Amino acid sequence: MSDLNIPLAYQETLDYLYSFVDYSLTRNLRYSPDKFDLSRMRLLLNLLDNPQDRYPVIHVAGTKGKGSISAMCAAGLESAGYKTGFYTSPHLEDYCERIQVNRVSIPQELLVKFTEEIKPFIQQVERITTFEITTALAFLYFARQNVDVAVVEVGLGGRLDATNVVNPLVSVISSLSFDHMNVLGNTLSSIATEKAGIIKPGRPVVLAPQKEEARLVVEKIARERNSKLIEVGKDIFYAAIDHSLEKQSLRVWFNPQSENLSVFKEIQSGIYLFEEGFTFNIPLLGMHQVENAATAFTTLKMASVEKLSLNDFLISEGFSKVVWSGRFEILQKNPAIVVDSAHNRDSAFRLRQAIDDYFPGKQVILIFGASEDKDISGMIEELLPRVRQVIMTQTVHPRAADPEKLIEMAKQFGKPARAIVPIEHAFSTAIQEIGENTILVAAGSLFIAAAIRNIWKERLKAALSESPRVRI
């Protein structure tokens, strides 16, 4: 939305929030105790009477898939009848998207009201950050809304993330890979150590399939903290069944040899999960989303073990309706336009796999832009062999990499590459070059996916106002 459409009070509130240190906008971020320190967060929450302790929390960390897992958990909980808080970052279009109850964003006027209310407490905390304030606002809003449960996505890392003040019902760690290495470390072991920092003594943790180096670290920390570890792919198996451009289906079932089988038998009303398994659909596409769905399903089963009462069929109904935009999202089918938030090498590899699965044989025009602190060369190495040509661009985000530098990195692959800025011009150019056997893919960062998504929506709106048959 444009600034002219934002009420003045809301814009002033956003300006106030962004006036504090915002590490998501910081170039060359380095890890140091004064930047990542939970004492500020704990002080602010103490002043607010610790709203985060008034409802059970599912806490989700990881490199890739944590947002999708969180969204599916929230959808499943809501479908089961629970009033559900959902905290995520960053946002696609509006800041209020970060704080939701039953997948409805906090109204702008309430964000203004709550921010005004806690300003006196914010002033008592030195060096507090934008993310810390927003996290506190989310916890307070959930408490005031009397949510039954909240799904809280970690912002960065885990151990010292502002969200890591909760005592979770269940902790979840999604797929781990290399990202934010300047903050979290240069090895999978060091990254896993930071992510596993969300594991709390005696509280169970669900672990998505991992490379062995990362898995062993999480296993060790869970054992040290006496936390039951449930591993997807080991305790619970999963398999993709089929897929289309609208949805895909999968099956999950318990490993009959699992040492943790007795845990689930305590809450299992039927026996199908121990025999033929349970099949359900999700609208999120790509094999990686099958893994995420199995992890989310396992998480909600563990939530049932701990406290909640969740019917599998209601969970699957929620999963079938989940909305998580910008993640291998097909904006239109003919010609096909896809936006994806891939922003590291592993996610770029998964994007390439999804392109092959859903559009085999199709040529690809890629609109690419990335934040300069990401593994750009790794993403380019994964994606460029699959594309016909690439258009390098950038958003207005402060960390956006220079498109001309991206072209230099892409030259080794011998594919036509151009730099086109602004991103609106990049999209217009690409649209004109899509043929019958070609698809357009925008990727490299969530900011690129969000920008292309918004441009497409505006063009579609304009085209439909003229004629419902006008091609955008």
Side-chain angles (χ1 to χ4, degrees), residues 41-58:
M41 194 66 202
R42 291 195 174 106
L43 173 56
L44 178 58
L45 290 173
N46 280 334
L47 292 169
L48 297 175
D49 198 25
N50 291 304
Q52 78 282 2
D53 295 336
R54 300 178 203 169
Y55 39 81
V57 170
I58 293 174

Side-chain angles (χ1 to χ4, degrees), residues 288-303:
H288 56 289
Q289 294 293 8
V290 172
E291 176 184 304
N292 292 334
T295 303
F297 187 87
T298 304
T299 298
L300 294 186
K301 298 303 293 182
M302 278 307 301

Side-chain angles (χ1 to χ4, degrees), residues 64 67-68 88-90 92 153 283-285 288-289 324-330 338-342 446 449:
K64 289 300 299 178
S68 298
T88 183
S89 62
L92 272 178
E153 180 189 350
L284 306 181
L285 306 181
H288 56 289
Q289 294 293 8
W324 196 230
S325 303
R327 283 76 178 178
F328 201 77
E329 180 181 8
I330 300 174
V338 180
V339 294
D340 190 81
S341 61
L446 183 61

Side-chain angles (χ1 to χ4, degrees), residues 175 218 348:
S175 176
V218 176

Side-chain angles (χ1 to χ4, degrees), residues 233-380:
K234 179 180 178 183
D235 297 301
I236 287 190
F237 295 144
Y238 65 96
I241 298 176
D242 58 31
H243 65 260
S244 67
L245 293 181
E246 289 79 31
K247 64 181 180 179
Q248 58 182 332
S249 60
L250 66 145
R251 183 168 66 97
V252 294
W253 68 100
F254 292 134
N255 175 9
Q257 274 73 53
S258 168
E259 296 176 358
N260 290 316
L261 194 64
S262 60
V263 174
F264 294 101
K265 283 187 175 179
E266 294 175 10
I267 49 90
Q268 181 59 39
S269 57
I271 61 171
Y272 55 87
L273 277 175
F274 298 98
E275 295 179 351
E276 69 269 20
F278 185 61
T279 300
F280 55 94
N281 299 315
I282 56 173
L284 306 181
L285 306 181
M287 185 59 197
H288 56 289
Q289 294 293 8
V290 172
E291 176 184 304
N292 292 334
T295 303
F297 187 87
T298 304
T299 298
L300 294 186
K301 298 303 293 182
M302 278 307 301
S304 289
V305 171
E306 293 301 310
K307 184 173 184 177
L308 306 179
S309 178
L310 296 165
N311 178 287
D312 294 340
F313 293 99
L314 289 176
I315 292 173
S316 67
E317 182 180 340
F319 281 18
S320 71
K321 299 174 182 176
V322 68
V323 175
W324 196 230
S325 303
R327 283 76 178 178
F328 201 77
E329 180 181 8
I330 300 174
L331 299 179
Q332 66 178 46
K333 297 177 185 176
N334 187 27
I337 300 176
V338 180
V339 294
D340 190 81
S341 61
H343 60 264
N344 70 359
R345 181 169 193 146
D346 183 66
S347 58
F349 170 73
R350 294 179 184 224
L351 169 58
R352 192 183 74 198
Q353 283 185 317
I355 292 171
D356 287 337
D357 285 343
Y358 289 86
F359 300 100
K362 295 283 188 179
Q363 294 185 326
V364 177
I365 296 176
L366 175 67
I367 296 178
F368 184 88
S371 297
E372 65 176 10
D373 59 333
K374 299 297 183 181
D375 180 12
I376 298 174
S377 61
M379 287 190 281
I380 287 176

